[in-house]
Amino acid sequence: MPPIELPLLERDRELAALSAVIGELGSGRPAVVTVTGEPGLGQNDLLRWAAAYATDAGLRVLSAHATPAEHEVRYGVVAQLLAEENRALAPRLFLTDEQPGGLPGLNGLLNAVRDRPTLLVVRDTQWLDPASLRWLEALARRLPRAPVALLTSTTGTALTRPEWSVGTPLTGLATTIELALPPLTSGGTATAVLRAFGAPGDPAFTEALAEATRGIPAVVHDVLDRFARAGHSPRADRIDPLRALTAEVVGDHATRALSDLRDPAAVDALRALAVCGDLLDFPLVCTLAGPHSVSESRLRAALAASGLTTLRDGHPRVQDAVVRARVLEEMPAADRAELYARAAGLAQRVAADDQGIADLLLLARPVGDPWAVDTLRRGFTSALRGGRRDLAVAYLARALDEPLAAEDRARIEFQLASVEMVTAPAAAERRLGGLIRATRPGPGAGLRARATDLCLLGGDTRAARHALAGAIDSAPAAPEPRRGPTGAPALPPEAEPPSTPRTPVPHRPYAGIPPGATGPDGRRSAAPDLPGTPRAHDAPRSPGPEAAGRPDTGGPDEDPAVAERHELTVLCRVASFLRHDDADLDVLPVPALPDAVHNPAVAGVWAWEHGVAGVHREEVRRLARSAFVPAATGRPLLVVPRLLGCRALLLTDDGDEAENHLGALLDESHRERAAISVAHILTVRAELHIRHGRPDAAARDLAAAQAELPLDRLHPLFLPYWLALSMITDLQNGHTERARETAARPLPPLAHESATTAQLLFARGVLARTDDEPHQAREHFRACGRWLLRHGCVNPAVQPWRSLAAEAAHTLGDTEEAARLVHEEVRLARRWGAAAPLGRAQLSLAVVTEENRVENLRAAVTTLGAASARTAYTRAVIELAAAEREENERRTAVALGPAATVLPPVAPPPGPHVPSAAARPPGPRPAVLTGRRTAKAPGHDAAVWHGLTTVERETAALAAQGLGNREIATELAVTTRAVELRLSGVYRKLRIRGREELRALVQEAEGS
């Protein structure tokens, strides 16, 4: 297709001025017109139009074009002007020695124009050679006596400002005009799109074109021409190709302008300006460019004339990043790196902005001075503060190119990996793996453990085993630890309150259903209780003589290698808990927990493992607190054990204390710029808020965690836990649809190998419970229980899956399973001793069993009143109020029995306060008051009422009789809403869909 043609858009003012000048020139009035503007605004197009217009008007037109290549050619432009009038004169201009005051051909031109007015057109006067400039200035002085108009164009600021410019007295009585061209407006750009495509473009497309081209007509023309040739149309969905094409066109224009820049001093200044022009003032840029004889003012003029720079705050600046790249890509790589290094050194000497110096160092050769590393690290901190993790990673990676001490290099590697865990997890794992293999105990000990700790936060569970293998190879044999009176590890004196006896629990790995626990299928292990649980017949044991003679390794002088081995051992335990990979042959088997609880990391993992086992709550609380006590050796505290310590405190109902520790840990991670640690801490705090009934705070923490570590960057092992917290938070905040979307989100295969899968199964069960789907809820809760028991989690404080599965089973009519599960949870909760799980278990016991229901609810309210689980407490209070009201109504009805219209017996189940049917004396059965009506229903032992409460049976009987909700409410002296809720429960428990099926069930039970 032929190239598109665009008219002179938005140049009506200039065209009118030129038309007037040409018209007056025909009447013999001279003029000087200068058209200025940055390159591409159409100065030369206006001059060509004027030349054609003057020719059509019968005027003589003499044209010339100054170029950089002819800047040093004497009289190059004059020769072009006079070639048409005197072809023999032009060669002599180049060969004749210039005489002082000589202006060859000027008098001949003035004589020739007396008979015919003449328009002299000179383009790009910024490149005029000095001789031609003097010639034209002499012509301008003679213009008042000759019918000649001088029309010139210039780009930017000419190297030497001509004396015929506006404001000089040279031209005398001649008309002097300067036309400064502006860029195209949005309307002009839209008109260009219309002319190019024959149809208007989308407003978004036009706006993007105007922004990318800055309204430069030459760039707009080339972009639209190439865009049309590529077969695109001006639609909003083609903005990305438009911007890419615009960058290419701008770069091509810059390359052509750069090739026209012949002055070496100007080229060096332009390159220096491209490197640090935004950071240093122009005099410093000239210093960086090197010693030249060219003055600063001439360099400014040369750069402005090139069109590659623009003025900002009075200083030249390279136009944009595309032009900067084209300017620098012509340099050899070594020269470019050297220029950046010299620029960084100069900027450092004048105390420029740290991040600006760091940007220079990114592309510089290694400087070899300490200030370079310090500047890059400060730039790293500043970039993280501004949310630029990619730039922060680049700063630290560049710092590693500088000569560093081994310890400093390892620390920078660790800091870099902590950020790469979010931006490039695979690279972070490789970097941490190198640290784990290379680091040995000594000065700065703890870095290998910290690297392993960071690997676990990133989901790399294999790194812990490899690190432990390295520690075993390099560490000396550890002496036996000091043990307590029961043979379990002893806490150090600073972590052990003197007045509290301690009975720690020896650890052993859990497999399948732990001893003493009952699985979802009802099977119970042979052992009567969990390992380490004290029994009534157990006698305290005293330490043997071999224990009394053991050395105490728990003091402050603990060997660093031994401490590191202990830390790596517990991290290996955590890795095994997160993901079982015992089938792999290239890793060590999971070791037992070390007994050296003077190490905070060991204490934190001990606390968690024993907390999920559900025994010795006071010991777990003490161990969890020890996880936050710094070791006397000064070793840094690890993040994962402290997070587990906080979660252990959640199990012991010490939520406020856990929240304080989480806040301190969050501040520490923010100071260290460890985004992945911040994200995990926020998720644990979100779980705390959920347990305390603060779903709005949980939602804020989860949003902040995902801002630090988006879900698409989260390791699959942690994804179920995050999704579970999101679902529970959404359900508590009333966003049920959003919770359904989260539940339907597909999971990667590795997510199904994680211990956190139990959390997601529990959340799905809660969602099914909310959606009134008891079958699915029970299956999800059962699956959650199987998963938890597989990982040794027996404590109901971890997840109350038994009680919720029992409530679902009760809804489905499986009272046997419901009773078994809820009694199991009550037993385990009593053994653990925390208020929140015990209160929840008592509440579920009251829900699924009619026996002592009011007493159980009162016990649940009392227990939960001392706990932080406010949601469960609120539910218990509501249930208790409803139960007490029903109990009062029932007792009133029984008291009025013979005098009232009776409903066939709908008695509560046997209990300590209500005699059973077998024990009831003969005679008339008690009746239930129903007001003015009699609701006949099958006996209370009929299968149709199986699983219904007393008030539900009364309501169902009246509904089967044909009464409406309002009538039933009047009869029972309750609200209409209470009737609706009771009937909903009836339909759900009986697995029917409405009154018609209820009536059919009642008729079938009566034998009609």
Side-chain angles (χ1 to χ4, degrees):
M1 62 179 292
I4 63 173
E5 296 292 339
L6 295 179
L8 293 170
L9 299 174
E10 297 187 328
R11 297 294 181 255
D12 295 338
R13 179 181 66 89
E14 291 79 7
L15 294 176
L18 292 177
S19 299
V21 167
I22 293 172
E24 292 180 353
L25 179 60
S27 303
R29 183 172 178 81
V32 176
V33 181
T34 304
V35 183
T36 65
E38 62 178 294
L41 289 179
Q43 299 93 319
N44 293 339
D45 291 337
L46 279 172
L47 266 61
R48 281 189 285 269
W49 178 89
Y53 186 83
T55 301
D56 294 341
L59 303 179
R60 177 190 289 113
V61 178
L62 303 179
S63 300
H65 187 191
T67 63
E70 299 179 356
H71 177 61
E72 300 299 332
V73 178
R74 184 161 54 93
Y75 292 119
V77 170
V78 175
Q80 294 180 52
L81 286 173
L82 301 180
E84 295 184 10
E85 293 296 317
N86 189 348
R87 294 185 181 276
L89 175 62
R92 295 200 299 271
L93 293 174
F94 307 113
L95 299 175
T96 304
D97 292 336
E98 186 174 358
Q99 301 295 326
L103 298 169
L106 180 58
N107 291 332
L109 176 64
L110 293 175
N111 291 330
V113 300
R114 297 183 188 278
D115 300 329
R116 186 180 179 187
T118 302
L119 177 66
L120 300 181
V121 179
V122 182
R123 289 174 286 169
D124 294 334
T125 57
Q126 71 271 13
W127 303 118
L128 279 173
D129 61 277
S132 295
L133 178 60
R134 288 195 302 271
W135 194 92
L136 290 173
E137 289 175 345
L139 173 64
R141 283 193 293 269
R142 293 165 174 78
L143 283 184
R145 301 188 299 274
V148 176
L150 178 59
L151 176 57
T152 64
S153 67
T154 182
T155 299
T157 303
L159 300 182
T160 302
R161 187 171 178 83
E163 293 188 9
W164 64 74
S165 301
V166 175
T168 63
L170 176 64
T171 55
L173 299 177
T175 302
T176 305
I177 301 174
E178 182 171 347
L179 300 175
L181 301 183
L184 295 179
T185 64
S186 298
T189 307
T191 303
V193 173
L194 176 62
R195 296 293 184 91
F197 293 95
D202 289 345
F205 178 89
T206 303
E207 182 179 355
L209 176 63
E211 179 183 358
T213 62
R214 297 189 300 117
I216 305 299
V219 179
V220 171
H221 176 275
D222 289 353
V223 169
L224 292 179
D225 183 60
R226 296 189 193 184
F227 199 76
R229 287 176 179 275
H232 299 305
S233 57
R235 302 195 313 268
D237 59 350
R238 308 307 299 166
I239 289 179
D240 289 339
L242 170 71
R243 287 176 175 158
L245 187 59
T246 303
E248 181 182 345
V249 170
V250 170
D252 292 344
H253 282 231
T255 301
R256 286 196 295 269
L258 187 61
S259 65
D260 291 338
L261 193 61
R262 302 302 180 90
D263 187 353
V267 172
D268 290 343
L270 182 62
R271 288 172 174 174
L273 199 62
V275 167
C276 59
D278 294 335
L279 186 64
L280 301 179
D281 293 337
F282 190 69
L284 291 174
V285 171
C286 295
T287 302
L288 179 64
H292 291 290
S293 58
V294 182
S295 64
E296 180 184 328
S297 60
R298 186 170 180 82
L299 285 177
R300 286 176 177 266
L303 294 176
S306 69
L308 297 171
T309 63
T310 184
L311 280 179
R312 289 199 299 270
D313 301 328
H315 296 285
R317 298 285 187 266
V318 177
Q319 284 183 357
D320 52 34
V322 175
V323 176
R324 182 180 294 108
R326 291 298 179 98
V327 169
L328 294 175
E329 70 184 7
E330 301 294 332
M331 299 180 65
D335 294 345
R336 187 166 55 245
E338 176 64 26
L339 179 60
Y340 272 104
R342 290 194 291 111
L346 179 61
Q348 194 270 340
R349 286 195 296 274
V350 299
D353 177 64
D354 277 340
Q355 193 154 0
I357 302 174
D359 289 337
L360 295 177
L361 289 171
L362 284 179
L363 300 173
R365 59 163 174 78
V367 176
D369 291 329
W371 65 262
V373 176
D374 295 339
T375 302
L376 287 167
R377 297 187 74 174
R378 288 194 296 270
F380 162 81
T381 302
S382 179
L384 282 185
R385 190 180 298 115
R388 294 289 310 277
R389 290 198 181 106
D390 52 345
L391 187 59
V393 167
Y395 287 148
L396 281 193
R398 170 62 183 82
L400 294 174
D401 293 337
E402 296 289 333
L404 293 165
E407 186 175 343
D408 292 338
R409 181 174 297 276
R411 287 174 177 170
I412 292 178
E413 290 263 14
F414 177 79
Q415 195 173 23
L416 176 57
S418 68
V419 181
E420 284 181 332
M421 271 296 180
V422 178
T423 60
E429 290 178 6
R430 289 194 298 271
R431 196 178 300 279
L432 291 173
L435 280 177
I436 291 171
R437 290 188 296 271
T439 307
R440 290 294 179 265
L447 189 58
R448 178 158 54 179
R450 293 185 69 194
T452 308
D453 184 57
L454 187 58
C455 281
L456 277 185
L457 291 174
D460 183 7
T461 57
R462 295 170 59 86
R465 295 189 175 187
H466 292 305
L468 180 59
I472 292 174
D473 293 340
S474 61
E480 284 292 326
R482 174 174 60 91
R483 292 182 175 270
T486 62
L491 284 171
E494 65 271 14
E496 181 176 4
S499 60
T500 306
R502 45 187 322 278
T503 312
V505 186
H507 174 77
R508 75 176 204 182
Y510 298 108
I513 302 175
T518 303
D521 54 359
R523 293 181 300 166
R524 185 181 176 90
S525 61
D529 218 327
L530 288 172
T533 304
R535 303 168 189 164
H537 58 274
D538 286 344
R541 292 181 296 173
S542 59
E546 71 284 355
R550 288 172 185 162
D552 183 4
T553 62
D557 55 346
E558 181 186 21
D559 185 82
V562 176
E564 181 179 73
R565 183 176 177 181
H566 287 160
E567 291 171 350
L568 294 177
T569 300
V570 298
L571 292 177
C572 190
R573 294 288 305 177
V574 177
S576 176
F577 179 82
L578 286 175
R579 180 188 179 191
H580 289 298
D581 51 3
D582 294 331
D584 293 342
L585 300 180
D586 58 340
V587 294
L588 291 173
V590 182
L593 272 175
D595 292 340
V597 292
H598 56 272
N599 190 308
V602 177
V605 178
W606 267 95
W608 171 249
E609 291 212 0
H610 294 159
V612 298
V615 290
H616 293 287
R617 181 165 59 97
E618 289 301 324
E619 183 68 19
V620 168
R621 175 183 286 124
R622 181 163 39 202
L623 287 169
R625 290 169 177 169
S626 300
F628 301 94
V629 179
T633 57
R635 295 180 63 83
L637 297 178
L638 304 181
V639 176
V640 171
R642 282 185 285 174
L643 283 178
L644 292 178
C646 288
R647 296 189 68 183
L649 288 175
L650 292 183
L651 303 183
T652 60
D653 276 0
D654 296 298
D656 293 338
E657 185 176 350
E659 189 168 8
N660 292 335
H661 288 308
L662 287 172
L665 190 54
L666 189 62
D667 292 340
E668 174 188 316
S669 299
H670 275 303
R671 287 194 303 270
E672 295 180 355
R673 311 295 175 186
I676 192 165
S677 299
V678 170
H680 282 287
I681 295 165
L682 287 171
T683 55
V684 174
R685 197 169 70 174
E687 179 185 357
L688 182 149
H689 291 317
I690 291 173
R691 288 175 177 266
H692 288 194
R694 301 193 293 260
D696 51 345
R700 288 194 297 270
D701 275 351
L702 286 175
Q706 292 186 23
E708 294 286 343
L709 181 62
L711 286 179
D712 57 351
R713 300 285 180 88
L714 181 67
H715 196 279
L717 291 179
F718 300 113
L719 185 59
Y721 178 56
W722 286 43
L723 295 181
L725 293 180
S726 297
M727 288 177 60
I728 298 297
T729 301
D730 287 336
L731 289 174
Q732 291 186 357
N733 284 320
H735 306 308
T736 309
E737 189 59 37
R738 190 188 304 170
R740 294 192 187 100
E741 294 174 359
T742 304
R745 176 174 178 152
L747 297 178
L750 191 58
H752 299 285
E753 302 179 20
S754 171
T756 63
T757 303
Q759 310 284 344
L760 184 58
L761 290 170
F762 183 84
R764 286 174 173 169
V766 175
L767 176 62
R769 173 188 171 100
T770 303
D771 290 339
D772 198 12
E773 296 177 353
H775 283 95
Q776 290 189 15
R778 181 169 66 172
E779 291 307 312
H780 285 311
F781 291 134
R782 282 174 170 176
C784 170
R786 286 191 293 270
W787 204 265
L788 288 174
L789 293 175
R790 173 188 173 188
H791 289 81
C793 297
V794 182
N795 194 342
V798 177
Q799 289 293 2
W801 64 270
R802 296 176 183 84
S803 59
L804 295 187
E807 293 184 24
H810 175 70
T811 301
L812 296 172
D814 192 349
T815 56
E816 181 180 352
E817 179 187 8
R820 175 179 58 81
L821 288 173
V822 75
H823 282 96
E824 174 81 1
E825 178 141 331
V826 170
R827 182 181 67 83
L828 293 173
R830 287 188 188 280
R831 186 181 67 182
W832 176 239
L838 178 58
R840 283 193 297 261
Q842 291 170 334
L843 175 59
S844 295
L845 179 64
V847 170
V848 303
T849 60
E850 287 293 331
E851 184 178 358
N852 298 331
R853 181 166 181 258
V854 175
E855 287 75 10
N856 288 332
L857 285 174
R858 287 171 180 163
V861 169
T862 302
T863 304
L864 290 172
S868 55
R870 308 318 299 167
T871 302
Y873 175 75
T874 302
R875 180 190 173 201
V877 170
I878 294 174
E879 292 280 355
L880 177 60
E884 288 179 339
R885 184 182 59 195
E886 293 172 5
E887 181 71 13
N888 292 335
E889 292 176 356
R890 186 189 65 77
R891 290 177 179 175
T892 302
V894 171
L896 297 175
T901 304
V902 296
L903 177 71
V906 183
H913 303 291
V914 181
S916 64
R920 186 179 297 121
R925 292 185 176 183
V928 178
L929 178 66
T930 59
R932 297 182 300 272
R933 294 177 182 262
T934 300
K936 185 180 180 181
H940 72 278
D941 293 328
V944 67
W945 299 131
H946 183 70
L948 299 185
T949 64
T950 302
V951 294
E952 287 174 341
R953 295 179 186 184
E954 295 173 354
T955 307
L958 294 174
Q961 192 71 20
L963 274 68
N965 288 354
R966 184 169 298 177
E967 294 174 310
I968 296 174
T970 303
E971 295 293 329
L972 299 181
V974 296
T975 64
T976 306
R977 178 58 178 166
V979 174
E980 294 173 353
L981 293 175
R982 291 179 186 178
L983 289 178
S984 296
V986 169
Y987 300 153
R988 183 177 67 254
K989 292 177 181 180
L990 298 182
R991 307 182 201 178
I992 59 178
R993 289 174 291 183
R995 290 173 179 262
E996 294 299 326
E997 295 186 15
L998 176 64
R999 190 175 296 112
L1001 284 176
V1002 172
Q1003 291 174 354
E1004 181 180 355
E1006 292 175 345
S1008 56

